[in-house]
Amino acid sequence: MNQELLVKDGVYESTGKSELSVQIDNERLKHFFYMLHGEPTTRTRALHGAVLVSKGDICSLVKSLRQQLTLVHVTDASFTVSLGFDKDFIEKSFDEFANSDWEDSDKTQEVIIRLHFMYEDLNKGSSIKNSVFIRIAKGIKPGNIFQMLASSDMDGLDKIEDLMCPVFCRTDNINDKLSKDLLGVVEEWHSGQKQPNLISGSYKFFKKHKGTIARFIHYIIPAAVVFILSYFAFVVPTLIENKYQIPTYVSIIVSSKLLLSYFLSYGANKAKGVYSRLSDISHQEVIFDITKGDDKEHSEVINKNQELFSSASKAFLWVNFQAIGASLLATAIFEYFKL
């Protein structure tokens, strides 16, 4: 449901302030976005897909942008690169960024590249200050939402979540052709980036099918109990005298109700645990390799994924062992008494 904050007519008795709810349609939200447009010449691109970004990748992107500007005879362009950490934000000129070793223990959360240049518009007969904004980030923060409000693409605003993507690019005050060319450079750079590999194929399979796996665990032990009770019901004539068979069947029915209630609850608890562990397996869309802290985080995520996968696998195998073992043991006992 496409809804956001809307003031209600009611008020809180304790504070006298208006109540709030989350009921506003998508059209009103888009209207709010349009009110905040900075320039009518703004163009944006929201690029999806996982990327691995190193210092060299950023330098390569800036080099490609410079080459594109050279084609239109722009030789004086100003590039700045900003690194966002958990509790810090550093902004440097591109040359300073490229010459820094970044021997830092902080983990990079976002990289912002800003480009400013003067471009002579022959149609208007004047020079205009132009700018390009590129944001590469692991996730959206409240303070970053206003960076996404420049889009005038109606189709894009129909899917606001599409803007919350790993790579976002915006051009301001740039003529159509040059704007498209610069955005094309960013798109081509993005499509050529390596894909971060935090989880193996088996991890991806288990994570993708975690719901099915959880349901299987939920019902495997109750299914084993049903098998045991059904098998016992079939062997009752060979184990029990005729006068005790009806009471035995009644006892099986009553027992099945109690046993199934218990084992369904047991299976649900095990299933929740496995589902939670598989959900926590990380497959981040952006992996930075700029500071030493990024390398450490990469290793930590891989180790955590291995632990979660191992824990989920053990729970899966243990529950299946219990179900299969109980069924075989019960069958063996019944066959023994039949002899």
Side-chain angles (χ1 to χ4, degrees), residues 92-288:
K92 293 179 178 287
S93 67
F94 171 71
D95 291 336
E96 289 181 298
F97 167 81
N99 293 327
S100 298
D101 291 333
W102 299 104
E103 298 293 324
D104 200 304
S105 60
D106 282 341
K107 303 168 186 175
T108 310
Q109 297 297 321
E110 65 178 347
V111 173
I112 294 176
I113 303 171
R114 289 185 175 90
L115 163 62
H116 299 284
F117 62 95
M118 298 297 292
Y119 177 69
E120 185 175 355
D121 191 329
L122 298 178
N123 293 325
K124 295 183 179 180
S126 62
S127 295
I128 302 175
K129 185 177 181 180
N130 306 270
S131 63
V132 178
F133 172 91
I134 303 169
R135 179 176 183 267
I136 309 166
K138 292 184 177 180
I140 192 69
K141 297 179 181 178
N144 301 130
I145 186 64
F146 292 100
Q147 298 168 355
M148 304 295 186
L149 302 183
S151 176
S152 58
D153 179 7
M154 179 68 73
D155 293 334
L157 291 176
D158 282 334
K159 296 181 179 180
I160 301 299
E161 66 275 8
D162 286 350
L163 297 179
M164 314 305 178
C165 57
V167 180
F168 177 82
C169 181
R170 185 185 74 221
T171 62
D172 295 314
N173 291 324
I174 301 179
N175 69 47
D176 287 346
K177 185 178 185 312
L178 181 55
S179 174
K180 291 178 180 178
D181 289 342
L182 291 173
L183 291 173
V185 169
V186 179
E187 289 177 338
E188 185 177 353
W189 171 85
H190 176 266
S191 63
Q193 288 305 107
K194 297 178 181 178
Q195 303 296 302
N197 185 24
L198 290 179
I199 55 179
S200 65
S202 57
Y203 290 16
K204 292 178 183 178
F205 177 83
F206 273 78
K207 184 177 177 69
K208 181 179 179 180
H209 300 284
K210 58 182 179 292
T212 302
I213 294 171
R215 282 191 292 272
F216 180 82
I217 292 175
H218 187 176
Y219 294 110
I220 184 64
I221 292 184
V225 173
V226 170
F227 170 79
I228 294 171
L229 293 174
S230 299
Y231 188 85
F232 182 50
F234 279 105
V235 299
V236 161
T238 61
L239 298 178
I240 309 295
E241 296 180 14
N242 288 337
K243 62 180 179 179
Y244 297 119
Q245 288 182 6
I246 293 179
T248 300
Y249 283 122
V250 172
S251 299
I252 292 174
I253 294 172
V254 174
S255 300
S256 66
K257 176 66 176 177
L258 297 175
L259 290 172
L260 288 176
S261 296
Y262 171 78
F263 284 109
L264 279 171
S265 177
Y266 175 81
N269 288 333
K270 291 293 185 181
K272 287 178 182 178
V274 171
Y275 187 90
S276 175
R277 294 183 184 94
L278 293 176
S279 298
D280 288 339
I281 290 178
S282 176
H283 183 46
Q284 299 175 12
E285 289 193 315
V286 177
I287 296 296
F288 289 112

Side-chain angles (χ1 to χ4, degrees), residues 69-109:
L69 291 175
T70 302
L71 296 177
V72 292
H73 308 292
V74 174
T75 57
D76 187 14
S78 171
F79 286 88
T80 60
V81 180
S82 303
L83 294 185
F85 303 107
D86 289 331
K87 298 181 180 180
D88 196 10
F89 195 82
I90 299 174
E91 183 173 357
K92 293 179 178 287
S93 67
F94 171 71
D95 291 336
E96 289 181 298
F97 167 81
N99 293 327
S100 298
D101 291 333
W102 299 104
E103 298 293 324
D104 200 304
S105 60
D106 282 341
K107 303 168 186 175
T108 310
Q109 297 297 321

Side-chain angles (χ1 to χ4, degrees), residues 227 231-232 234-235 238-239 327-339:
F227 170 79
Y231 188 85
F232 182 50
F234 279 105
V235 299
T238 61
L239 298 178
S327 299
L328 294 176
L329 180 62
T331 302
I333 292 174
F334 295 148
E335 291 296 329
Y336 173 80
F337 281 110
K338 285 170 60 177
L339 297 177

